[in-house]
Amino acid sequence: MFILTPPTSLTRQSARPSHRCSGQSRRRALRMALTEGPPTLSSLSPHQPPSWWELSDDEKRKAMTLPSSLTNAFRAQYVPFDTTTHPQAAAERHSLDSVVYRSTVTQGLLEVQHDMDALRQVSAPQWKELFDRRAGRTVFPYGSGVWSKKEWVLPGIPDEDVVSMFEGNSNLFWAERFGKDVLGMDDLWVKQCGNSHTGSFKDLGMTVLVSQVNHMIRSKSANIKAVGCASTGDTSAAVAAYCAAAGIPSVVFLPADKISVAQLVQPIANGSVVLSLDTDFDGCMKLIQEVVNEFPIYLANSMNPLRLEGQKTVSVEIAQQFDWQVPDWVIVPGGNLGNVYAFYKGFAMMRELGLTDRMPRLVVAQSANANPLYQAYVNGGHRGDWSHYRAVPAKRTLASAIQIGAPVSIHRAMRAIDGTQGVVEEATEEELMDAAALADRTGMFNCPHTGVALAALIKLRERGMIGVKDRAVVVSTAHGLKFTDSKVDYHERKLHNAASRYANEIYRVPADLGRVVDALRERGLF
């Protein structure tokens, strides 16, 4: 066990300066306190709160850093995701400095495994205090919502190799009006992961992946010339931005005419090599895998488990924002399905290390036009039989980022559903746009993918599966400003096969007071 040094340790027994004492002597006392200090912040006098503003950056960093005797023991490595069909794969291990995406034994997916025994040397209360101490600070890289959990993500990477834009720490929005007025719920929240540097949750995984690539390039442990991905829009934006920040070339494969202009312009602006291909996402994914197998381009898609290490920190952040309580439900839009497994992994890690005592029930919300997991769920997955899973041709959906018929992380998602008594639901194009528009009228501004999750929530409430008093968190994966075309079409009633029930039409009137007043009366304002 160790003592987590508080930011100040000015106690009644130590040389607590009087109000007349100089700033220099107070700072000297603070520095002495960093060395000696009591066990926890709670031992401080209520009249002596932590004085972060009086500490230097180095002193703040010291107060946020675990002893090297502990951190030197933290380890992470690649292991096969599933060894049930190949018992010999249980011994397979790969360094995170290796360029490897699949098990060499099973040819299946890999995942990052942490040394949990080493992490248990820090108690649950100490982890909570450490994470709370770092949250939102400006000490690099700990102020990031991802890197504030660095020991649980990439414990071995030097701070100077981290590529961060202080991602994470996103708003947990209390959807009071939507919850009460529409669903009759008091405890509905929306985790605004789209309030991020590139406007989507993909930043959370990309900071980890690009940091690891940056480390491998700097340490010369691998021959990497660029980072590449297939994308439906959001991944390419995150790859482009983080690689640009690190000075690493990037390549993105996009399906032609299937993403929004806002999504397309981001990798262009950040200097990526952008290839628009006459295929869908699944075709782009097949091609990028062939390219990275032949050339020194590092794969950034979510089959790479590094991304999930960053995305899992959203689970920790949600619990942290609820004062380390776990919600009853978490509803996640699902396309390539890595995100739902990342949530599962984060919640499972907290429970295993004693920070929480239970798991939430996870809901995967899919577009009805790209719903392979949903079909497998209703055909047996709801009782643990996933044998009916089949990839499907993905039809066009306004939720373009989840327009994926052959998800790479399908088996990861199945484990997450099985491990949380989870549910899979779908939403039609009309349902997802109506749900997004209805929620927008209560103060939100939702992307179509969040609309899919909100539509699934509405269905589960109508069936009574999610209760009135349940605490539910909807994960908003991208910012609505990236999808303004679909919103404009909805409100102008231009969407195909959609009645646009909650459209808010623009009244075009002459610049005449009488006509303006008539228009306002028609809208019932007076």
Side-chain angles (χ1 to χ4, degrees):
M1 192 59 66
F2 76 102
I3 293 176
L4 182 60
T5 307
T8 82
S9 64
L10 302 173
T11 66
R12 292 168 185 166
Q13 292 76 26
S14 64
R16 179 179 178 181
S18 71
H19 294 295
R20 294 190 299 271
C21 116
S22 70
Q24 183 177 5
S25 62
R26 182 166 171 77
R27 284 192 293 274
R28 188 181 304 114
L30 284 166
R31 292 188 184 101
M32 291 175 63
L34 285 168
T35 305
E36 299 173 2
T40 65
L41 291 174
S42 60
S43 67
L44 292 172
S45 162
H47 303 294
Q48 186 63 52
S51 300
W52 287 97
W53 59 89
E54 298 188 77
L55 303 179
S56 69
D57 284 349
D58 286 343
E59 290 165 337
K60 291 175 184 176
R61 181 181 300 279
K62 182 176 180 180
M64 297 179 188
T65 304
L66 296 176
S68 58
S69 58
L70 287 171
T71 58
N72 289 342
F74 296 157
R75 296 283 186 274
Q77 59 190 348
Y78 294 127
V79 299
F81 171 74
D82 186 4
T83 61
T84 54
T85 58
H86 295 77
Q88 66 272 31
E92 184 181 355
R93 300 287 185 272
H94 299 280
S95 165
L96 297 189
D97 291 343
S98 304
V99 179
V100 57
Y101 312 113
R102 290 189 177 276
S103 164
T104 55
V105 177
T106 69
Q107 299 306 307
L109 298 174
L110 297 170
E111 69 174 337
V112 176
Q113 180 189 75
H114 291 263
D115 185 337
M116 300 300 285
D117 288 336
L119 293 175
R120 286 190 193 94
Q121 297 306 304
V122 181
S123 72
Q126 289 167 331
W127 280 124
K128 292 177 185 179
E129 185 176 2
L130 181 66
F131 293 161
D132 285 346
R133 182 178 294 183
R134 292 170 172 175
R137 302 287 179 181
T138 55
V139 176
F140 187 89
Y142 297 132
S144 158
V146 172
W147 297 104
S148 62
K149 287 81 178 173
K150 182 175 185 282
E151 295 82 0
W152 292 21
V153 178
L154 287 183
I157 190 172
D159 288 350
E160 56 269 24
D161 289 349
V162 171
V163 183
S164 173
M165 299 179 188
F166 280 70
E167 51 289 307
N169 298 316
S170 58
N171 179 28
L172 187 59
F173 173 81
W174 183 29
E176 181 183 14
R177 278 198 60 212
F178 185 77
K180 290 181 177 179
D181 296 351
V182 178
L183 301 171
M185 298 178 68
D186 296 326
D187 213 357
L188 175 64
W189 303 77
V190 179
K191 181 61 172 167
Q192 300 279 9
C193 293
N195 292 357
S196 190
H197 183 73
T198 71
S200 90
F201 78 96
K202 300 296 179 70
D203 293 352
L204 305 171
M206 210 55 67
T207 180
V208 176
L209 184 142
V210 175
S211 294
Q212 179 62 29
V213 170
N214 192 43
H215 171 63
M216 289 192 287
I217 292 173
R218 287 185 169 195
S219 64
K220 296 181 171 55
S221 60
N223 178 29
I224 299 172
K225 301 300 184 184
V227 176
C229 73
S231 178
T232 51
D234 291 334
T235 299
S236 63
V239 166
Y242 280 86
C243 284
I248 300 171
S250 60
V251 180
V252 299
F253 290 7
L254 302 173
D257 305 319
K258 291 183 176 67
I259 68 172
S260 72
V261 174
Q263 290 173 303
L264 176 62
V265 75
Q266 288 180 282
I268 294 173
N270 285 136
S272 285
V273 176
V274 179
L275 302 183
S276 179
L277 305 178
D278 187 19
T279 183
D280 59 9
F281 170 81
D282 297 316
C284 291
M285 188 68 207
K286 180 176 182 295
L287 284 168
I288 192 66
Q289 290 183 70
E290 292 173 354
V291 168
V292 301
N293 284 337
E294 296 293 330
F295 301 97
I297 296 176
Y298 191 83
L299 182 65
N301 283 96
S302 60
M303 70 176 293
N304 187 322
L306 286 173
R307 289 252 312 268
L308 307 187
E309 293 304 292
Q311 290 164 213
K312 80 182 181 190
T313 62
V314 184
S315 300
V316 186
E317 198 168 287
I318 288 172
Q320 190 173 10
Q321 288 170 310
F322 284 132
D323 294 325
W324 300 104
Q325 299 297 311
V326 173
D328 299 300
W329 296 86
V330 177
I331 301 101
V332 187
N336 219 17
L337 300 177
N339 207 22
V340 67
Y341 183 67
F343 275 87
Y344 168 77
K345 193 172 183 183
F347 282 115
M349 197 167 183
M350 282 189 290
R351 185 180 63 175
E352 188 171 350
L353 291 174
L355 279 73
T356 58
D357 60 2
R358 65 188 184 93
M359 298 285 286
R361 297 186 69 180
L362 295 177
V363 178
V364 179
Q366 292 206 293
S367 164
N369 287 354
N371 62 352
L373 183 66
Y374 173 77
Q375 291 190 26
Y377 176 80
V378 297
N379 288 317
H382 63 282
R383 59 176 182 272
D385 176 12
W386 297 98
S387 61
H388 295 283
Y389 166 74
R390 300 291 184 276
V392 301
K395 301 174 186 176
R396 192 176 187 89
T397 173
L398 295 168
S400 56
I402 58 175
Q403 186 178 312
I404 299 169
V408 169
S409 294
I410 183 67
H411 296 292
R412 290 170 172 158
M414 292 172 181
R415 179 181 292 181
I417 295 299
D418 288 343
T420 62
Q421 294 183 296
V423 179
V424 186
E425 188 51 82
E426 67 171 358
T428 66
E429 297 298 284
E430 184 170 41
E431 288 170 341
L432 73 89
M433 291 304 293
D434 279 345
L438 184 57
D440 285 353
R441 289 198 167 208
T442 66
M444 294 184 242
F445 193 70
N446 295 293
C447 69
H449 319 87
T450 307
V452 175
L454 290 168
L457 169 64
I458 291 169
K459 290 182 176 184
L460 296 177
R461 272 293 296 126
E462 288 174 345
R463 294 207 296 266
M465 183 171 287
I466 294 181
V468 172
K469 297 299 182 182
D470 287 353
R471 172 173 283 176
V473 176
V474 172
V475 178
S476 179
T477 53
H479 202 289
L481 286 173
K482 299 180 81 169
F483 301 91
T484 53
D485 289 348
S486 63
K487 283 187 175 293
V488 170
D489 288 345
Y490 178 90
H491 289 288
E492 293 184 347
R493 301 183 187 277
K494 292 180 179 179
L495 293 181
H496 182 63
N497 291 332
S500 296
R501 295 169 59 199
Y502 306 104
N504 186 16
E505 299 180 40
I506 298 174
Y507 276 56
R508 291 176 173 83
V509 297
D512 175 81
L513 178 59
R515 299 292 293 275
V516 168
V517 171
D518 289 342
L520 295 177
R521 282 198 178 103
E522 287 180 25
R523 296 301 293 264
L525 294 180
F526 48 79

